């Protein structure tokens, strides 16, 4: 009870802090509906200047449906700060989850992942390796590779092995590299099924190789988001789900980074493709025969033989049940005959 009271005081204090910065609606999404555009602008301005990393992560996830962009994600561990604030943010999220609105379950999951990344540099390193695995040097020769030095990386320190003579860019990316970074982002989305919705910088070298430096959490996606991405590019479709809002925010940031790119031309092969999920099917007869020859068929379950639905339907009607041959022995005549036989035996024997 005391814990809940203290959390209520902290939530009230947070609300006052946001109100002083013109964000009184930030903890009450229902109040944002009449004017989401103005709130989005105020929130974006606040995120760009705020120096409280956990609060930035919380606001971007709790108000994800009002943002049309993302902020550069710093990478300093803030373990001591997180331990004091996480409980308050979680309490606000849980209250939103009770109302089951705005896909908060997915936002809450991403919030936890990003907070963990802030607290532990090893998780940041793992996200970098997820990015590098999603990229294909064979498919795109313009990728600038780098790697994590795991021998020097621990909870508080992230150490990377970077190529020599590289340049960093956060906004003003040279025009000749814009198409390359846009193509790389599209390949990660459409080919590797990963939505990269934040990064700190772009790195490049004199050879024209490029890459994303220090990625934010990479959201796994399905064919539905890919189809939405295509629809959004063609008709500016309105997002409805969490991942769709995240795509719009990330794509908006990518467009600002690459203002000279024609995305229809850059992503032509992706836009002209229909996406659908692939499901595992039953093994074919040749595969089963090979397993049988090798003595490994025990790992495959034999399909069960199911009764016909007609038999089940026949058992649902009482008159059908009583008229069946298996139930003739339960008729009144049979019962009377058996009773007389028992009486006769008892009487004479």
């Amino acid at each position: 009870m005391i814990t809940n009271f203290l959390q209520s005081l902290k939530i009230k204090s947070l609300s006052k802090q946001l109100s002083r910065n013109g964000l009184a609606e930030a903890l009450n999404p229902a109040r944002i509906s009449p004017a989401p555009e103005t709130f989005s602008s105020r929130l974006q301005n606040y995120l760009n200047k705020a120096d409280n990393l956990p609060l930035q992560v919380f606001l971007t996830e709790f108000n994800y449906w009002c943002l049309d962009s993302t902020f550069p994600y710093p990478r300093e561990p803030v373990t001591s700060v997180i331990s004091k604030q996480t409980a308050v943010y979680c309490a606000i999220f849980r209250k939103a989850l009770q109302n089951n609105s705005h896909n908060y379950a997915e936002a809450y999951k991403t919030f936890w992942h990003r907070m963990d990344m802030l607290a532990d540099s090893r998780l940041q390193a793992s996200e970098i390796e997820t990015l590098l695995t999603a990229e294909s040097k064979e498919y795109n020769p313009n990728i600038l590779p780098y790697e994590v030095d795991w021998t020097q990386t621990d909870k508080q320190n992230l150490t990377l092995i970077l190529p020599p003579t590289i340049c960093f860019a956060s906004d003003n990316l040279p025009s000749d590299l814009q198409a390359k970074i846009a193509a790389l982002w599209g390949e990660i989305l459409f080919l590797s099924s990963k939505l990269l919705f934040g990064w700190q910088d772009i790195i490049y070298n004199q050879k024209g190789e490029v890459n994303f430096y220090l990625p934010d959490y990479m959201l796994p996606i399905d064919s539905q988001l890919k189809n939405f991405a295509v629809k959004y590019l063609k008709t500016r479709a309105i997002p409805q789900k969490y991942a769709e809002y995240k795509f719009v925010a990330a794509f908006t940031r990518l467009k600002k980074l690459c203002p000279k790119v024609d995305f229809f031309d850059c992503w032509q092969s992706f836009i002209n493709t229909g996406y659908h999920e692939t499901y595992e099917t039953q093994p074919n007869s040749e595969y089963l025969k090979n397993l049988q020859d090798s003595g490994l068929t025990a790992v495959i379950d034999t399909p069960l033989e199911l009764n016909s639905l007609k038999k089940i339907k026949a058992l649902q009607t009482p008159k059908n049940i009583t008229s069946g041959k298996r139930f003739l022995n339960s008729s009144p005549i049979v019962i009377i005959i058996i009773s007389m036989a028992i009486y006769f035996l008892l009487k004479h024997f």
Side-chain angles (χ1 to χ4, degrees):
M1 185 174 180
I2 295 177
T3 301
N4 293 336
F5 176 71
L6 292 176
Q7 283 188 353
S8 298
L9 292 179
K10 292 179 180 179
I11 292 174
K12 188 174 182 179
S13 176
L14 176 60
S15 179
K16 289 182 178 180
Q17 175 188 342
L18 295 174
S19 297
R20 287 194 296 268
N21 288 275
L23 297 172
E25 314 97 316
L27 303 184
N28 186 4
R31 296 172 55 187
I32 302 173
S33 300
E37 295 82 7
T38 59
F39 173 78
S40 176
S41 176
R42 283 182 277 127
L43 179 59
Q44 193 67 57
N45 291 334
Y46 178 75
L47 291 173
N48 291 336
K49 65 181 181 181
D51 58 356
N52 186 328
L53 300 185
L55 180 59
Q56 285 177 309
V57 172
F58 166 72
L59 290 175
T60 55
E61 295 303 328
F62 193 75
N63 298 281
Y64 68 88
W65 56 284
C66 277
L67 290 174
D68 59 1
S69 185
T70 58
F71 67 96
Y73 195 54
R75 291 293 172 176
E76 296 83 7
V78 287
T79 311
S80 59
V81 179
I82 287 180
S83 62
K84 298 177 182 179
Q85 297 181 351
T86 301
V88 177
Y89 301 146
C90 289
I92 299 173
F93 255 115
R94 285 195 296 269
K95 185 176 180 180
L97 285 169
Q98 291 175 356
N99 299 327
N100 194 25
S101 59
H102 297 101
N103 295 297
Y104 271 121
E106 295 181 62
Y108 189 41
K109 180 180 178 181
T110 303
F111 162 76
W112 263 115
H113 190 101
R114 296 178 66 188
M115 293 291 280
D116 288 342
M117 288 173 61
L118 278 180
D120 194 331
S121 293
R122 292 168 296 188
L123 294 177
Q124 301 172 11
S126 177
E127 209 64 29
I128 292 172
E129 294 207 331
T130 299
L131 168 68
L132 301 179
T133 302
E135 298 173 337
S136 173
K137 188 72 174 179
E138 296 180 0
Y139 187 87
N140 188 337
N142 298 315
I143 297 174
L144 177 59
Y146 62 102
E147 58 183 305
V148 177
D149 186 352
W150 284 104
T151 61
Q152 301 296 324
T153 296
D154 55 27
K155 185 174 183 178
Q156 296 294 331
N157 300 288
L158 172 64
T159 304
L160 302 177
I161 302 176
L162 299 174
T165 63
I166 62 172
C167 301
F168 293 81
S170 57
D171 295 314
N172 299 320
L173 188 64
S175 56
D176 59 323
L177 301 179
Q178 292 181 17
K180 294 181 179 180
I181 202 68
L184 180 57
W185 193 87
E187 292 160 14
I188 295 172
L189 178 77
F190 291 103
L191 299 182
S192 298
S193 301
K194 299 286 185 180
L195 173 59
L196 175 60
F197 59 71
W199 55 87
Q200 189 180 72
D201 287 303
I202 303 298
I203 57 174
Y204 61 95
N205 59 16
Q206 295 180 349
K207 299 179 181 179
E209 297 175 325
V210 296
N211 210 337
F212 297 96
Y213 179 72
L214 296 181
D216 201 340
Y217 176 48
M218 297 183 65
L219 191 69
I221 63 169
D222 55 18
S223 61
Q224 292 183 357
L225 184 67
K226 295 178 185 179
N227 288 325
F228 171 80
V230 173
K231 187 177 180 180
Y232 181 82
L233 290 169
K234 293 180 178 179
T235 65
R236 287 299 182 266
I238 299 175
Q240 301 293 334
K241 301 179 181 179
Y242 173 78
E244 295 173 356
Y245 281 104
K246 281 296 186 181
F247 165 79
V248 173
F251 180 65
T252 300
R253 184 181 180 191
L254 184 67
K255 287 196 301 181
K256 292 179 180 179
L257 179 67
C258 308
K260 297 185 178 181
V261 173
D262 182 349
F263 285 92
F264 277 93
D265 181 60
C266 183
W267 293 351
Q268 185 176 9
S269 60
F270 304 138
I271 295 174
N272 295 330
T273 301
Y275 299 95
H276 60 276
E277 294 295 330
T278 57
Y279 301 97
E280 294 184 2
T281 59
Q282 291 291 334
N284 57 41
S285 58
E286 182 180 357
Y287 177 75
L288 292 175
K289 183 178 182 303
N290 292 336
L291 284 180
Q292 187 175 9
D293 294 341
S294 61
L296 296 177
T297 51
V299 300
I300 299 180
D301 295 332
T302 304
L304 296 176
E305 294 184 4
L306 302 178
N307 292 327
S308 172
L309 293 177
K310 292 182 179 180
K311 294 183 179 180
I312 299 176
K313 185 177 180 181
L315 294 174
Q316 293 177 344
T317 307
K319 66 178 182 179
N320 289 342
I321 295 176
T322 57
S323 63
K325 292 183 178 181
R326 72 184 73 176
F327 298 102
L328 288 179
N329 291 334
S330 63
S331 64
I333 298 175
V334 173
I335 295 174
I336 293 173
I337 294 174
I338 294 175
S339 301
M340 293 176 63
I342 293 174
Y343 175 78
F344 179 81
L345 292 173
L346 292 175
K347 182 73 172 178
H348 296 282
F349 296 96

